[in-house]
Each structure stands twice: as structure tokens, then as C-alpha cells.
Amino acid sequence: PMLAGWAEVVRNRRFMAFAAGYSGYLLCYNQLYLALPAELRRATGSQAALGWLFVIASVMVIAGQLPATRWGRRIGSARAIVLGFGLMAVSFLTVAVAVLLPGSTDALPLWPAVTMVVLLTAGEMLAVPVAQDLVPRLAGERRLGVYFGVLSSAGGFAVLIGSTAVGALLDPAVAAPVVPWLMLAGVPVVSAVIIGILARRGSLSTPPAVTPG
């Protein structure tokens, strides 16, 4: 039965495409623990502000998650997910601009990191709940444990591969300082494109025709 469940998920092409797009979120979120400390070292020479930045993210979630989720459901799942991934992309582009224009951080060296945390958290708050709402629909209300397991596994695989690449690119000896941030900005853009294509085709609004395994 377990193998039949996995086989059913793999045959569900719409869900697999959705999982591929959604997995970019977990890679982006993981950068709070990988790329953000690197940005703090670049801007301030230490990671002393890291704890306060996590406090900002936590306060945002506590105070704003329910309103953000209600608004996301009101504007529609596809729009909310695409907008959320767009905010994630802008969060990394902000740091890329700061890296390219080092003089822009002289007065406020923490502004790129703060902006990254705020936009990344806002994007997650908007996109993730409505995206997970779609899983039962894409699964045809079947084998939800397996579907959510595959979704988590796809995200874990993206983190494993993506963070390994980002970690290498954050080394100045490997790539120019702006390169990892541009690469990170491209990840949510690709995710948004995948989700947008699925929405335009109607794949997110109708249940799949799944052949029981």
C-alpha cells in the first residue's frame, strides 16, 4: 500500500509540478540561517544582530499571520502564492543592490538585512498557508499523508542541493559577492512562474483524475 501511494503521487503530474515550484519556498526560508548571517558579517563584521532579526520575523508571524492568510484566500490562491514568491525574490534583490552599491549601507548598515527578513517573512506568510490549502485539492482528497510527505521531501531536496550551491557561492574566492544573491532571487521567480502556469491552465482549481493504485 505504501508503494502504491507513492506511485499515485508520482503519476499526478500537476501535483509534482506544484511540489517543484513550492519547494523553492523552503530553500528561500533556509537562507535565514545561511545567507543572512553572511550578509551580517559583510555589513557589520559580526552576527550580533541575528537574534533581533529573528525576533522581528517572529513578531511578524505572531501579529500578522492570520490577517495575511485571510487576505491571501480572499485574493485567490494563485495570486497570493505568486505575490508571496515575488516578495521573496525582492528580499534577495535588496541585498544584491546593497552588495553592488556598498556606499548605500554606510549610514544604516543593517537596512539590507532588515529588509530581507521583513520581505522574506511577509512572502512566506502570504504564500505558504494558501499553498498548503491546495494540496488536498491537487491530491483529490486521497492519501494526504503521502502527498504532504512528498511535498516536504521535495523541499528538503531543494534545500540540500540549493544551500550547498549557495554556501559555495558565498565564498568570495568562488564567485563575486553579488552572485549568490542574484541566484537566490531567481529561485522564487522560477517558483512563481511554475505556479502561475499551473493556475493559468486551471490545474489548481480542479481536482485531478487519479487512477487508484
PDB file of all heavy atoms in Angstrom, residues 173-196:
ATOM      1  N   ALA A 173      36.075  33.692  -2.805  1.00  0.00           N
ATOM      2  CA  ALA A 173      37.070  33.087  -3.687  1.00  0.00           C
ATOM      3  C   ALA A 173      36.421  32.294  -4.814  1.00  0.00           C
ATOM      4  O   ALA A 173      37.081  31.984  -5.811  1.00  0.00           O
ATOM      5  CB  ALA A 173      37.996  32.173  -2.879  1.00  0.00           C
ATOM      6  N   VAL A 174      35.148  31.974  -4.675  1.00  0.00           N
ATOM      7  CA  VAL A 174      34.449  31.168  -5.676  1.00  0.00           C
ATOM      8  C   VAL A 174      33.685  32.039  -6.655  1.00  0.00           C
ATOM      9  O   VAL A 174      33.676  31.778  -7.861  1.00  0.00           O
ATOM     10  CB  VAL A 174      33.492  30.173  -4.983  1.00  0.00           C
ATOM     11  CG1 VAL A 174      32.665  29.404  -6.008  1.00  0.00           C
ATOM     12  CG2 VAL A 174      34.293  29.208  -4.114  1.00  0.00           C
ATOM     13  N   ALA A 175      32.997  33.069  -6.149  1.00  0.00           N
ATOM     14  CA  ALA A 175      32.156  33.898  -7.011  1.00  0.00           C
ATOM     15  C   ALA A 175      32.122  35.322  -6.479  1.00  0.00           C
ATOM     16  O   ALA A 175      32.426  35.577  -5.313  1.00  0.00           O
ATOM     17  CB  ALA A 175      30.743  33.329  -7.084  1.00  0.00           C
ATOM     18  N   ALA A 176      31.764  36.253  -7.341  1.00  0.00           N
ATOM     19  CA  ALA A 176      31.584  37.638  -6.922  1.00  0.00           C
ATOM     20  C   ALA A 176      30.492  37.704  -5.855  1.00  0.00           C
ATOM     21  O   ALA A 176      29.529  36.924  -5.891  1.00  0.00           O
ATOM     22  CB  ALA A 176      31.213  38.510  -8.111  1.00  0.00           C
ATOM     23  N   PRO A 177      30.602  38.630  -4.887  1.00  0.00           N
ATOM     24  CA  PRO A 177      29.649  38.667  -3.768  1.00  0.00           C
ATOM     25  C   PRO A 177      28.186  38.788  -4.178  1.00  0.00           C
ATOM     26  O   PRO A 177      27.298  38.342  -3.443  1.00  0.00           O
ATOM     27  CB  PRO A 177      30.111  39.896  -2.963  1.00  0.00           C
ATOM     28  CG  PRO A 177      31.552  40.035  -3.283  1.00  0.00           C
ATOM     29  CD  PRO A 177      31.693  39.608  -4.712  1.00  0.00           C
ATOM     30  N   VAL A 178      27.914  39.381  -5.334  1.00  0.00           N
ATOM     31  CA  VAL A 178      26.523  39.570  -5.733  1.00  0.00           C
ATOM     32  C   VAL A 178      25.901  38.306  -6.321  1.00  0.00           C
ATOM     33  O   VAL A 178      24.668  38.169  -6.348  1.00  0.00           O
ATOM     34  CB  VAL A 178      26.417  40.732  -6.739  1.00  0.00           C
ATOM     35  CG1 VAL A 178      26.955  40.305  -8.120  1.00  0.00           C
ATOM     36  CG2 VAL A 178      24.993  41.240  -6.856  1.00  0.00           C
ATOM     37  N   VAL A 179      26.719  37.375  -6.763  1.00  0.00           N
ATOM     38  CA  VAL A 179      26.217  36.197  -7.486  1.00  0.00           C
ATOM     39  C   VAL A 179      25.251  35.360  -6.655  1.00  0.00           C
ATOM     40  O   VAL A 179      24.161  35.000  -7.139  1.00  0.00           O
ATOM     41  CB  VAL A 179      27.395  35.343  -8.003  1.00  0.00           C
ATOM     42  CG1 VAL A 179      26.891  33.998  -8.540  1.00  0.00           C
ATOM     43  CG2 VAL A 179      28.151  36.095  -9.082  1.00  0.00           C
ATOM     44  N   PRO A 180      25.581  34.985  -5.398  1.00  0.00           N
ATOM     45  CA  PRO A 180      24.629  34.147  -4.661  1.00  0.00           C
ATOM     46  C   PRO A 180      23.282  34.827  -4.439  1.00  0.00           C
ATOM     47  O   PRO A 180      22.243  34.159  -4.440  1.00  0.00           O
ATOM     48  CB  PRO A 180      25.347  33.883  -3.331  1.00  0.00           C
ATOM     49  CG  PRO A 180      26.392  34.946  -3.219  1.00  0.00           C
ATOM     50  CD  PRO A 180      26.808  35.230  -4.617  1.00  0.00           C
ATOM     51  N   TRP A 181      23.287  36.150  -4.290  1.00  0.00           N
ATOM     52  CA  TRP A 181      22.031  36.857  -4.060  1.00  0.00           C
ATOM     53  C   TRP A 181      21.175  36.911  -5.323  1.00  0.00           C
ATOM     54  O   TRP A 181      19.951  36.802  -5.256  1.00  0.00           O
ATOM     55  CB  TRP A 181      22.316  38.258  -3.530  1.00  0.00           C
ATOM     56  CG  TRP A 181      23.040  38.209  -2.230  1.00  0.00           C
ATOM     57  CD1 TRP A 181      24.369  38.445  -2.019  1.00  0.00           C
ATOM     58  CD2 TRP A 181      22.494  37.850  -0.959  1.00  0.00           C
ATOM     59  NE1 TRP A 181      24.684  38.276  -0.696  1.00  0.00           N
ATOM     60  CE2 TRP A 181      23.547  37.905  -0.019  1.00  0.00           C
ATOM     61  CE3 TRP A 181      21.221  37.500  -0.526  1.00  0.00           C
ATOM     62  CZ2 TRP A 181      23.354  37.621   1.329  1.00  0.00           C
ATOM     63  CZ3 TRP A 181      21.018  37.205   0.815  1.00  0.00           C
ATOM     64  CH2 TRP A 181      22.081  37.271   1.718  1.00  0.00           C
ATOM     65  N   LEU A 182      21.816  37.050  -6.455  1.00  0.00           N
ATOM     66  CA  LEU A 182      21.068  37.008  -7.711  1.00  0.00           C
ATOM     67  C   LEU A 182      20.511  35.614  -7.964  1.00  0.00           C
ATOM     68  O   LEU A 182      19.382  35.459  -8.445  1.00  0.00           O
ATOM     69  CB  LEU A 182      21.966  37.444  -8.869  1.00  0.00           C
ATOM     70  CG  LEU A 182      22.408  38.911  -8.863  1.00  0.00           C
ATOM     71  CD1 LEU A 182      23.354  39.181 -10.026  1.00  0.00           C
ATOM     72  CD2 LEU A 182      21.200  39.844  -8.924  1.00  0.00           C
ATOM     73  N   MET A 183      21.302  34.602  -7.630  1.00  0.00           N
ATOM     74  CA  MET A 183      20.821  33.235  -7.795  1.00  0.00           C
ATOM     75  C   MET A 183      19.629  32.972  -6.884  1.00  0.00           C
ATOM     76  O   MET A 183      18.621  32.384  -7.293  1.00  0.00           O
ATOM     77  CB  MET A 183      21.937  32.237  -7.485  1.00  0.00           C
ATOM     78  CG  MET A 183      21.565  30.792  -7.840  1.00  0.00           C
ATOM     79  SD  MET A 183      22.665  29.560  -7.115  1.00  0.00           S
ATOM     80  CE  MET A 183      21.902  29.355  -5.511  1.00  0.00           C
ATOM     81  N   LEU A 184      19.729  33.443  -5.636  1.00  0.00           N
ATOM     82  CA  LEU A 184      18.630  33.265  -4.697  1.00  0.00           C
ATOM     83  C   LEU A 184      17.374  33.998  -5.159  1.00  0.00           C
ATOM     84  O   LEU A 184      16.260  33.496  -5.012  1.00  0.00           O
ATOM     85  CB  LEU A 184      19.049  33.761  -3.310  1.00  0.00           C
ATOM     86  CG  LEU A 184      20.005  32.858  -2.535  1.00  0.00           C
ATOM     87  CD1 LEU A 184      20.515  33.557  -1.287  1.00  0.00           C
ATOM     88  CD2 LEU A 184      19.315  31.548  -2.165  1.00  0.00           C
ATOM     89  N   ALA A 185      17.551  35.186  -5.716  1.00  0.00           N
ATOM     90  CA  ALA A 185      16.396  35.934  -6.226  1.00  0.00           C
ATOM     91  C   ALA A 185      15.724  35.189  -7.375  1.00  0.00           C
ATOM     92  O   ALA A 185      14.506  35.281  -7.563  1.00  0.00           O
ATOM     93  CB  ALA A 185      16.826  37.327  -6.678  1.00  0.00           C
ATOM     94  N   GLY A 186      16.505  34.449  -8.146  1.00  0.00           N
ATOM     95  CA  GLY A 186      15.940  33.716  -9.266  1.00  0.00           C
ATOM     96  C   GLY A 186      15.102  32.519  -8.844  1.00  0.00           C
ATOM     97  O   GLY A 186      14.188  32.111  -9.572  1.00  0.00           O
ATOM     98  N   VAL A 187      15.391  31.953  -7.672  1.00  0.00           N
ATOM     99  CA  VAL A 187      14.660  30.761  -7.222  1.00  0.00           C
ATOM    100  C   VAL A 187      13.170  31.044  -7.048  1.00  0.00           C
ATOM    101  O   VAL A 187      12.325  30.340  -7.624  1.00  0.00           O
ATOM    102  CB  VAL A 187      15.278  30.208  -5.925  1.00  0.00           C
ATOM    103  CG1 VAL A 187      14.379  29.117  -5.330  1.00  0.00           C
ATOM    104  CG2 VAL A 187      16.666  29.656  -6.193  1.00  0.00           C
ATOM    105  N   PRO A 188      12.753  32.058  -6.265  1.00  0.00           N
ATOM    106  CA  PRO A 188      11.317  32.312  -6.139  1.00  0.00           C
ATOM    107  C   PRO A 188      10.671  32.805  -7.431  1.00  0.00           C
ATOM    108  O   PRO A 188       9.466  32.622  -7.625  1.00  0.00           O
ATOM    109  CB  PRO A 188      11.225  33.366  -5.027  1.00  0.00           C
ATOM    110  CG  PRO A 188      12.568  33.993  -4.972  1.00  0.00           C
ATOM    111  CD  PRO A 188      13.536  32.924  -5.365  1.00  0.00           C
ATOM    112  N   VAL A 189      11.467  33.430  -8.306  1.00  0.00           N
ATOM    113  CA  VAL A 189      10.908  33.830  -9.600  1.00  0.00           C
ATOM    114  C   VAL A 189      10.502  32.589 -10.399  1.00  0.00           C
ATOM    115  O   VAL A 189       9.404  32.531 -10.975  1.00  0.00           O
ATOM    116  CB  VAL A 189      11.926  34.680 -10.388  1.00  0.00           C
ATOM    117  CG1 VAL A 189      11.443  34.885 -11.822  1.00  0.00           C
ATOM    118  CG2 VAL A 189      12.133  36.027  -9.709  1.00  0.00           C
ATOM    119  N   VAL A 190      11.382  31.589 -10.422  1.00  0.00           N
ATOM    120  CA  VAL A 190      11.051  30.335 -11.123  1.00  0.00           C
ATOM    121  C   VAL A 190       9.836  29.678 -10.479  1.00  0.00           C
ATOM    122  O   VAL A 190       8.939  29.175 -11.169  1.00  0.00           O
ATOM    123  CB  VAL A 190      12.265  29.390 -11.111  1.00  0.00           C
ATOM    124  CG1 VAL A 190      11.881  28.018 -11.658  1.00  0.00           C
ATOM    125  CG2 VAL A 190      13.415  29.981 -11.925  1.00  0.00           C
ATOM    126  N   SER A 191       9.804  29.679  -9.150  1.00  0.00           N
ATOM    127  CA  SER A 191       8.661  29.089  -8.451  1.00  0.00           C
ATOM    128  C   SER A 191       7.365  29.807  -8.819  1.00  0.00           C
ATOM    129  O   SER A 191       6.336  29.168  -9.066  1.00  0.00           O
ATOM    130  CB  SER A 191       8.885  29.157  -6.934  1.00  0.00           C
ATOM    131  OG  SER A 191       9.974  28.345  -6.540  1.00  0.00           O
ATOM    132  N   ALA A 192       7.407  31.137  -8.845  1.00  0.00           N
ATOM    133  CA  ALA A 192       6.220  31.909  -9.191  1.00  0.00           C
ATOM    134  C   ALA A 192       5.764  31.612 -10.617  1.00  0.00           C
ATOM    135  O   ALA A 192       4.559  31.526 -10.890  1.00  0.00           O
ATOM    136  CB  ALA A 192       6.494  33.402  -9.022  1.00  0.00           C
ATOM    137  N   VAL A 193       6.711  31.446 -11.523  1.00  0.00           N
ATOM    138  CA  VAL A 193       6.364  31.129 -12.914  1.00  0.00           C
ATOM    139  C   VAL A 193       5.673  29.768 -12.996  1.00  0.00           C
ATOM    140  O   VAL A 193       4.654  29.606 -13.691  1.00  0.00           O
ATOM    141  CB  VAL A 193       7.628  31.157 -13.795  1.00  0.00           C
ATOM    142  CG1 VAL A 193       7.324  30.574 -15.176  1.00  0.00           C
ATOM    143  CG2 VAL A 193       8.157  32.582 -13.935  1.00  0.00           C
ATOM    144  N   ILE A 194       6.198  28.784 -12.286  1.00  0.00           N
ATOM    145  CA  ILE A 194       5.590  27.446 -12.309  1.00  0.00           C
ATOM    146  C   ILE A 194       4.165  27.491 -11.771  1.00  0.00           C
ATOM    147  O   ILE A 194       3.224  26.948 -12.377  1.00  0.00           O
ATOM    148  CB  ILE A 194       6.450  26.462 -11.490  1.00  0.00           C
ATOM    149  CG1 ILE A 194       7.796  26.219 -12.179  1.00  0.00           C
ATOM    150  CG2 ILE A 194       5.705  25.136 -11.307  1.00  0.00           C
ATOM    151  CD1 ILE A 194       8.761  25.392 -11.367  1.00  0.00           C
ATOM    152  N   ILE A 195       3.986  28.155 -10.624  1.00  0.00           N
ATOM    153  CA  ILE A 195       2.647  28.242 -10.031  1.00  0.00           C
ATOM    154  C   ILE A 195       1.710  29.024 -10.950  1.00  0.00           C
ATOM    155  O   ILE A 195       0.538  28.676 -11.126  1.00  0.00           O
ATOM    156  CB  ILE A 195       2.714  28.898  -8.648  1.00  0.00           C
ATOM    157  CG1 ILE A 195       3.609  28.072  -7.707  1.00  0.00           C
ATOM    158  CG2 ILE A 195       1.316  29.058  -8.065  1.00  0.00           C
ATOM    159  CD1 ILE A 195       3.144  26.667  -7.462  1.00  0.00           C
ATOM    160  N   GLY A 196       2.227  30.101 -11.545  1.00  0.00           N
ATOM    161  CA  GLY A 196       1.407  30.893 -12.453  1.00  0.00           C
ATOM    162  C   GLY A 196       0.946  30.108 -13.669  1.00  0.00           C
ATOM    163  O   GLY A 196      -0.206  30.233 -14.106  1.00  0.00           O
TER     164      GLY A 196
END
